[in-house]
Each structure stands twice: as C-alpha cells, then as structure tokens.
Amino acid sequence: GINAEYGKQWYQRRVREQWYQRRVRGVKDVAKAIRKGEKGFVVIAGDISPIDVISHLPVLCEEHKIPYCYVPARLDLGQAIGSNTPCSTILITKNDEYKEKYKECIKGIKELPSIY
C-alpha cells in the first residue's frame, strides 16, 4: 500500500544499525530473494523512473504474501539502511535482534489502506 506518512515514520526510526546485515537491496536481488522464498517485508521507493522498473514487485509481493509499502524517495531509503547511494527497494528479513521493531513495522504496513 502507499502511505508517505508511514514511510516517513519508518525512515525516522533509524533502524539501519540493526537491520543493515539482514536486508536484501535492489530490484533484481529483492525479486530473486522473494522467488527463492525469503520472508520479510519490502519497502519500495516511490520516485523510481521509469515505473516499469519496479511495477512487478507489488504483484510479486502479493503472490508470495509479503507485506510491502512505499517511501517517498530513493535517497531516504538508501540513507535509512546506512548507504550514501540511493536505493530503489529493500527486503527486510526477520531477525531476533530487532523482533519488536520488525513486528511493529509489519503491523503498520498491514494497517495501511488497501488500493482494492
């Protein structure tokens, strides 16, 4: 679902130190990880151009029952994971080190309004 406010809150939490090791970054790697059965949640940057680059990801996420959300900008997403390079999409996988924050994010994503 699309919700810029939730994406902003997610970014502001600055969980990059804990999540840095347990994430998959980039459209190709995220799609490959989802197809291989990785579980977690996906965050997609909303300023990707052309949109065809990421248009298959929401469908892929829904097919594999993986929650996803959008954040406004690639730069914000890259900074949130501790990178100076903009990032178009990431897959955050579950880990005991940040179990409570992970559950909070999953709950927040599931509470977003559906487009259907």
Side-chain angles (χ1 to χ4, degrees), residues 75-105:
L75 186 59
D76 293 341
L77 188 54
Q79 288 175 345
I81 62 169
S83 173
N84 292 331
T85 307
C87 181
S88 55
T89 185
I90 58 171
L91 168 69
I92 302 291
T93 56
K94 193 171 185 178
N95 191 323
D96 288 338
E97 291 178 29
Y98 48 82
K99 185 161 63 173
E100 292 306 314
K101 289 184 187 209
Y102 180 86
K103 285 181 182 178
E104 183 181 330
C105 287

Side-chain angles (χ1 to χ4, degrees), residues 10 23-32 34 41-48 53-54 56-58 61 67-71 73-75 77-78 81 85-92:
W10 182 84
R23 54 112 175 113
V24 180
R25 171 189 175 152
V27 176
K28 285 175 70 175
D29 291 338
V30 167
K32 183 171 32 169
I34 292 171
F41 66 90
V42 175
V43 183
I44 304 168
D47 64 345
I48 304 300
V53 173
I54 59 164
H56 66 288
L57 285 178
C61 290
Y68 67 96
C69 69
Y70 292 90
V71 293
R74 296 181 312 153
L75 186 59
L77 188 54
I81 62 169
T85 307
C87 181
S88 55
T89 185
I90 58 171
L91 168 69
I92 302 291

Side-chain angles (χ1 to χ4, degrees), residues 1-11 13 42-46 68-73 107-115:
I2 298 175
N3 188 316
E5 184 59 34
Y6 184 74
K8 185 177 175 185
Q9 289 173 2
W10 182 84
Y11 172 72
R13 287 193 186 107
V42 175
V43 183
I44 304 168
Y68 67 96
C69 69
Y70 292 90
V71 293
K107 182 181 175 200
I109 291 171
K110 288 184 177 181
E111 289 174 356
L112 294 174
S114 176
I115 59 172

